[in-house]
């Protein structure tokens, strides 16, 4: 990102709690916070960290470290302070008083990024829901300049202007959340109908999952270029965290009735806000309903193993932890301890998504997995059952066709369900070996 694109300057602040089993995690987390800031057009100008036994209940960091943070921010003329964790309402209020500058935590930053990236109605509703759920418990202290108590009687007349404003804001948010819940239920219903139609089609579902900016959209677009050949079917592809939020589903036609549906889901990230996971659950269900997951990993990232743990944890939370998976180590061309590519070792693939040979290897691996329960069968269909011949031509992999005196002989690779459906026409009453 060019420097002139930045709109604000920020000092990054973080705390590592000693003895919590996550020592060494702070540096990676702060680097990621810097990338999140850039994705929100904020320029990181300094990093201030502290390792302590436990976070300060009132200020998150120690008082001396807060003063150091204030001095650094003033010296570098920073516009705001970004903290690498969710702050409590009291911590947020106290830090802003001590620092004299706007304070934003990691969750608010991610919510801002999601808000700016949302394009579809569903994504916008999901982001607004997560934002309001996060804001609701943080209303306290937002109206400190107003009085808290009054002297008259009555249910609300005895409250000061600040207390009245707080109650009104809370009611507005709760009312809006109720409206959003209804709208999201309607959208989720529409998505369930679409998903049911896709499942009824019998076409295997494959979902791209993984850490944000690992290359999922790149793989989707290369598949579209190779097998769909429709530029309008491409998704946004950009070297930026959370470049795309909306789940896109494309039918990949590899020929000979070996199609599969490929979905590109929202990326995961370390410390992904729980409210966002809940809000995007209906979207992420595309992964839960898939026949195969492609976990895309940026193997050039020095922290890719930790990113894989985050992905595994998120998939488990979604109930998708037991779905068959291929692990796709992408960006092998950018270095790292990766063997020559493209290469496949079991269910691990080492590729460069922009390379044709890598794409072909990935496609074959996907087809091998999603069509593993297909059997080679020989059918002998009477000539008066032309509708069955048409069905098999359209829904199976046709290997050969011959015309005999008794009817049309078809040798196909078909799903077990189709074999059972037309079992009376299986030639010799057994599948071809």
């Amino acid at each position: 990102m060019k420097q002139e694109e930045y709109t604000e300057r920020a000092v990054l602040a973080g705390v590592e709690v000693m003895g919590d089993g996550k020592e060494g995690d702070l540096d990676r987390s702060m680097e990621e916070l810097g990338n999140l800031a850039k994705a929100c057009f904020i320029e990181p100008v300094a990093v201030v960290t502290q390792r302590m036994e436990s976070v300060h209940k009132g200020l998150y960091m120690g008082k001396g470290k807060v003063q150091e943070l204030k001095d650094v921010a003033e010296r570098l003329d920073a516009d705001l302070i970004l903290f690498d964790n969710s702050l409590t309402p009291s911590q947020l209020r106290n830090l802003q008083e001590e620092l004299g500058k706007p304070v934003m935590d990691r969750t608010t930053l991610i919510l801002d990024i999601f808000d700016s990236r949302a394009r579809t109605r569903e994504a916008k509703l999901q982001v607004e829901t997560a934002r309001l759920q996060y804001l609701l418990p943080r209303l306290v202290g937002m109206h400190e300049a107003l009085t808290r108590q009054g002297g008259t009687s009555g249910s609300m007349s005895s409250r000061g202007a600040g207390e009245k404003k707080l109650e009104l804001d809370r009611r507005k948010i709760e009312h809006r959340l109720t409206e959003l819940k209804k709208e999201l239920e309607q959208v989720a219903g529409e998505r369930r109908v679409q998903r049911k139609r896709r499942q009824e089609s019998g076409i295997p579902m494959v979902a791209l999952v993984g850490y944000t900016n690992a290359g999922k959209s790149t793989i989707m677009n290369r598949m579209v270029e190779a097998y769909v050949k429709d530029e309008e079917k491409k998704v946004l592809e950009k070297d930026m965290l959370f470049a795309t939020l909306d789940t896109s589903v494309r039918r990949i036609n590899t020929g000979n009735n070996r199609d599969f549906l490929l979905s590109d889901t929202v990326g995961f990230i370390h410390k992904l806000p729980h409210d966002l996971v809940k809000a995007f659950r209906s979207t992420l269900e595309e992964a839960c309903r898939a026949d195969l997951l492609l976990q895309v990993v940026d193997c050039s990232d020095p922290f890719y193993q930790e990113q894989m743990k985050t992905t595994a944890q998120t998939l488990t939370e979604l109930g998708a932890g037991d779905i068959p998976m291929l692990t796709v180590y992408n960006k092998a061309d950018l270095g790292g301890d990766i063997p020559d590519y493209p290469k496949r070792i079991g269910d691990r693939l080492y590729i460069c998504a922009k390379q044709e040979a890598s794409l072909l290897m990935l496609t074959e691996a996907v087809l091998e997995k999603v069509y593993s329960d297909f059997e080679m069968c020989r059918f002998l269909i009477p000539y008066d059952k032309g509708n069955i011949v048409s069905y098999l031509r359209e829904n199976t992999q046709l290997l050969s066709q011959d015309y005999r005196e008794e009817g049309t002989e078809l040798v196909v690779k078909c799903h077990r369900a189709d074999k059972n459906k037309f079992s009376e026409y299986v030639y010799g009453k057994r599948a071809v070996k």
Side-chain angles (χ1 to χ4, degrees), residues 157-277:
S157 58
S158 62
R159 301 178 182 181
E163 199 163 357
K164 287 180 182 178
K165 184 73 168 77
L166 190 65
E167 183 65 25
L168 289 171
D169 284 350
R170 182 178 286 113
R171 289 181 182 178
K172 285 180 180 178
I173 290 177
E174 289 175 345
H175 178 68
R176 180 57 181 157
L177 281 171
T178 300
E179 293 179 334
L180 288 168
K181 184 178 179 181
K182 291 179 180 177
E183 291 186 66
L184 280 171
E185 285 176 353
Q186 179 184 353
V187 175
E190 295 170 358
R191 183 176 287 278
R192 282 193 293 270
V193 171
Q194 294 172 349
R195 192 181 295 122
K196 184 178 179 181
R197 288 174 181 168
R198 290 197 292 266
Q199 289 173 337
E200 289 175 348
S201 71
I203 303 175
M205 281 287 300
V206 181
L208 292 159
V209 298
Y211 221 69
T212 180
N213 206 34
K216 298 184 298 298
S217 296
T218 301
I219 290 175
M220 167 72 88
N221 286 339
R222 298 296 85 77
M223 289 276 190
V224 168
E225 283 179 1
Y227 304 109
V228 183
K229 304 186 187 304
D230 185 347
E231 290 292 319
E232 294 184 359
K233 296 293 185 180
K234 286 187 175 181
V235 298
L236 177 64
E237 178 185 335
K238 197 170 184 179
D239 185 15
M240 180 184 288
L241 300 186
F242 298 117
T244 55
L245 296 183
D246 306 310
T247 295
S248 304
V249 181
R250 301 290 183 263
R251 181 166 178 163
I252 306 301
N253 181 4
T254 63
N256 200 10
N257 291 322
R258 294 199 303 168
D259 296 3
F260 60 89
L261 297 172
L262 183 65
S263 64
D264 180 17
T265 59
V266 63
F268 306 141
I269 198 169
H270 185 53
K271 301 178 186 176
L272 185 66
H274 183 65
D275 286 337
L276 270 178
V277 175

Side-chain angles (χ1 to χ4, degrees), residues 15 68 89 98 103 116 123 166 195 271 288 294 317 353 382 411 417:
V15 168
E68 178 187 335
E98 291 285 334
V103 173
S116 66
L166 190 65
R195 192 181 295 122
K271 301 178 186 176
C288 300
L294 297 182
E317 289 176 5
V411 178

Side-chain angles (χ1 to χ4, degrees), residues 45-60:
V45 294
V47 176
V48 176
T49 60
Q50 184 176 25
R51 288 171 170 81
M52 49 201 306
E53 295 297 325
S54 61
V55 298
H56 193 287
K57 289 185 178 180
L59 293 170
Y60 186 66

Side-chain angles (χ1 to χ4, degrees), residues 297-309:
V297 180
D298 177 2
C299 61
S300 68
D301 192 305
F303 301 111
Y304 76 87
Q305 292 181 333
E306 287 80 3
Q307 293 174 359
M308 291 175 68
K309 292 178 183 177

Side-chain angles (χ1 to χ4, degrees), residues 299 304 329 332-333 335-345 348-351:
C299 61
Y304 76 87
Y329 293 91
D333 55 315
D337 186 21
I338 301 300
D340 295 336
Y341 67 94
K343 178 178 284 187
R344 179 179 179 183
I345 304 175
R348 305 193 308 274
L349 288 83
Y350 301 89
I351 72 165

